[in-house]
Amino acid sequence: MRQDHLSSPGTEPPAVAPPGAEGPRTDPPGTVRAALRRPCRPAQVREAVQRAVCERCRATHTPCDTDALADALLVASELTTNAILHGGGVTEVRVDVTGPGVRVSVSDRSTRLPVARPAAGRERLTPGGHGWPLVCLLSRDIRVRDLPAGGKCISALVPLP
């Protein structure tokens, strides 16, 4: 099943098209895709990830692993927050659930690469600087690519059992 969401802040995603309405299906069963093309908030991205993962679980008749879902939600939130705080804002979000996990891709306006702040010289409870290390810890595969129109896209694959 393939599912595309195009939404803007404060709107609900459109209903899923009937099977076959999008042309021949090339994705394996249980594949779910979602896209948010407008600037969005971390909560909206978390909702898109939760919808996509739960839809995959329903389509494949498998239980939804709550720990894996929590990891995916945290990665989605951190990537989105980092794009807002350090990347000039979110330009696009894609959520692809297929095969080994959920890939969350967040695009922003900046070409600057993410950097983990060194722990030395910081107090443990200092806010900020913990998101990128969390993304790296919870993700199996992280890719950063430049976008043709400027900016970058960071995608992270979070394993699902």
Side-chain angles (χ1 to χ4, degrees):
M1 171 177 229
R2 182 180 167 153
Q3 182 177 15
D4 291 325
H5 295 293
L6 303 177
S7 59
S8 58
T11 63
E12 290 296 314
V16 177
E22 299 170 338
R25 184 167 93 183
T26 58
D27 293 326
T31 298
V32 179
R33 301 186 190 281
L36 299 151
R37 295 185 191 246
R38 308 261 173 152
C40 44
R41 296 181 303 259
Q44 292 170 301
V45 178
R46 287 191 306 269
E47 289 170 6
V49 168
Q50 185 161 3
R51 276 194 310 269
V53 171
C54 291
E55 178 58 33
R56 176 200 187 224
C57 293
R58 277 192 295 276
T60 59
H61 305 291
T62 57
C64 196
D65 184 287
T66 55
D67 290 336
L69 177 59
D71 290 349
L73 295 175
L74 181 56
V75 167
S77 184
E78 291 298 337
L79 288 176
T80 306
T81 300
N82 286 348
I84 292 167
L85 295 177
H86 308 292
V90 176
T91 57
E92 183 178 21
V93 173
R94 296 196 61 78
V95 179
D96 298 304
V97 183
T98 185
V102 55
R103 181 169 294 278
V104 180
S105 303
V106 178
S107 300
D108 63 38
R109 293 178 177 89
S110 173
T111 56
R112 287 186 9 193
L113 296 176
V115 177
R117 292 195 305 191
R122 282 193 305 148
E123 291 183 31
R124 287 177 26 154
L125 300 178
T126 303
H130 305 286
W132 184 244
L134 282 172
V135 169
C136 294
L137 179 69
L138 297 174
S139 303
R140 179 182 304 154
D141 177 41
I142 300 172
R143 301 174 186 184
V144 180
R145 65 181 172 87
D146 291 327
L147 298 174
K152 69 180 171 299
C153 177
I154 300 178
S155 67
L157 178 69
V158 180
L160 294 176

